[in-house]
Amino acid sequence: MAELRQSLATVSSKVSVSIATGSVTSALYYLEVYAHWIDDNFVRQDRLLDWHCVDGAATSGDIISMFESTLTHYNLFSRLGAVTTSYTRESVEFLNQAETICHARGVSFDLDRNQSTCIATTLRDAQEKLLGSLYDPDGVSGFVLSDTAGQMALDSGMAAAAGGASSFSTPLGKLRMLMLRLCSPGRPGSQQLVDLCRRNDMELGKFSFDAGMPWDSTMSLLDSALSVYGDLTEIIAAHLAKTSAESAAAPSESSQEMAAEDWLWLSQAQTLLRVFGVAVDGLVKLPNKFPSIVNVVPIYDALLDNIQDLLGLRNLHDTIRRTAEGLRDHLLQCHPFQLSPIYRLASLFDPRLKTTYYADRNCDQAWVGRVMREAQSLLAEYGSSAAAESSSASAAEDKTPQLFEQIARSCDSNDVKTMIEAYAQLSNAQASKQLAADGRARIFKRTLASGRTELDEYLSAPLAPLRMPVISWWRLHHAAFPALAKLVREYLSISASSGPLPSILGSAAAGTASPNYAQLAGMDKDVIDVIACLHHWQN
């Protein structure tokens, strides 16, 4: 912890933080605070600052207490950038209190400019609610603001689909129940299903359901069933007829047959799930466990655009339409991109997109003009400090002979040893810093002389290749835009996730297994805190 504190003391940029919560057991929860910054070499740094157990779900008071104590311990209040949290009532209450605490300390903190909502938890909760709605729309009370609402909606939908009822709210619940029967050996129609799988080179397990992997199982079920829906309809009809004939007391099961309208509904549900799945896959394939909002905003925007395109289709079933509208409204509520400059400006600082991003999304000129004014205003703040640094560098140059002048004098002496020593000076660290300072000074002089700002120069430069990581481009070109680079460092440090992606979206995210804190259950809370911190710091 002391070493981390020393490292943070040398950070020259603002430091963003993220706050996550999770459970160790049903009664014991934890809070964790992470720091995120871009170092002087434009390398992203993500570090756990503190990890703490609390009894029961974390309250806004728990969050504010840990936030204040952690930032005080690491002396980060004066350099605080953005704060990323999940979208819960407790987090909203915490952010309002955090704004007051920062202002009391003389620290500028504005919720519009310094607050980011965790996109990972938003997508995770929306995914659970989406599945719950498609299985049992009557059992889901909309996309509500709650940390557990998504799992509750999913549990409700799963229970309805597995309950063996004679009627179901949606064709998805009906299909799941029928496949549970047909996948049972010895049941009427089970052998026909096995033969169907063999003829089409399919796995029988694709039609079953794994409650531990509801999303993957549902997608597998839909993909498999829809690929052979004609033959499957006949097998289901024969199964229901034989089951009814074998039990004279059984009620009519004609309502459980799969009609053409049911398959149309399922194909629309599959499309909605596919649209959502593309966004989740895009997020988990990002290389960082804490992706920057600059990388994630386009993924989120594409999801909203695709949902809106789906809603524009004719003959969309009412249930699918209501579910898609609820999903869209939930995503907009969690991330009000229209209202927050953090999200409006994020894509501008992606050298692969810049203003073409707004043009591709059909943003009007008034919108683009607003974005540009906000960027120029922020650049003016950062530009003044960068200019001061450049002036200091220039002042230092007046006191120290230029490196190339030293070499020129050594060449005049015709002494080989002196010339070798003079040239060798160009490779040492101090010489590199001085050359960089010279470069910044020249850039400022050229920019001021042309009347163009750094933002103008940046926007007029060619777009970066799409395969090039954003931070890699800035690592190569930050010296050409010293003031803009300071601003971009702050934006790139803002995490789109309140915690590591693996702990939120599963072990597939970032290719790293999430820690299993349940193994720590039964230990003293202070011991759990120490073990969890050591686990993170050692990894």
Side-chain angles (χ1 to χ4, degrees), residues 17-144:
V17 301
S18 61
I19 303 172
T21 182
S23 61
V24 177
T25 66
S26 58
L28 190 63
Y29 284 68
Y30 66 84
L31 281 167
E32 51 189 2
V33 181
Y34 290 86
H36 315 280
W37 71 95
I38 307 298
D39 65 21
D40 292 340
N41 296 316
F42 259 80
V43 176
R44 182 178 180 87
Q45 304 291 339
D46 304 293
R47 297 288 187 273
L48 176 73
L49 298 181
D50 202 3
W51 197 100
H52 185 61
C53 279
V54 293
D55 293 317
T59 65
S60 59
D62 293 327
I63 302 173
I64 196 68
S65 175
M66 189 166 182
F67 170 78
E68 189 169 15
S69 62
T70 302
L71 266 65
T72 299
H73 176 77
Y74 288 99
N75 194 28
L76 288 179
F77 269 107
S78 61
R79 293 174 290 154
L80 179 62
V83 177
T84 302
T85 63
S86 58
Y87 188 62
T88 63
R89 290 188 180 89
E90 293 75 19
S91 294
V92 172
E93 292 172 0
F94 150 71
L95 287 167
N96 289 325
Q97 295 180 59
E99 189 174 31
T100 302
I101 288 174
C102 288
H103 290 171
R105 291 172 173 264
V107 176
S108 175
F109 186 88
D110 187 292
L111 289 181
D112 287 338
R113 180 174 166 180
N114 298 93
Q115 181 266 330
S116 171
T117 303
C118 176
I119 290 180
T121 54
T122 298
L123 293 184
R124 180 202 62 195
D125 293 344
Q127 185 182 58
E128 293 168 349
K129 295 168 191 173
L130 175 57
L131 274 183
S133 296
L134 292 177
Y135 276 105
D136 182 24
D138 297 329
V140 180
S141 57
F143 289 82
V144 295

Side-chain angles (χ1 to χ4, degrees), residues 375-428:
Q376 292 285 13
S377 176
L378 287 172
L379 183 59
E381 297 178 22
Y382 284 81
S384 59
S385 60
E389 291 177 8
S390 179
S391 300
S392 300
S394 298
E397 292 164 15
D398 294 338
K399 298 177 182 178
T400 306
Q402 293 288 333
L403 294 173
F404 289 102
E405 290 179 5
Q406 296 177 26
I407 294 174
R409 286 197 297 272
S410 67
C411 291
D412 291 339
S413 68
N414 292 321
D415 181 65
V416 175
K417 182 178 179 180
T418 303
M419 286 189 284
I420 291 174
E421 292 175 351
Y423 275 106
Q425 290 183 39
L426 284 175
S427 63
N428 65 40

Side-chain angles (χ1 to χ4, degrees), residues 34 96 98 141 197 241 259 301 405 421 432 434 441 457 485 498 516 536:
Y34 290 86
N96 289 325
S141 57
C197 290
D301 284 343
E405 290 179 5
E421 292 175 351
S432 297
Q434 187 169 333
E457 299 284 350
S498 57
N516 183 6
H536 283 276

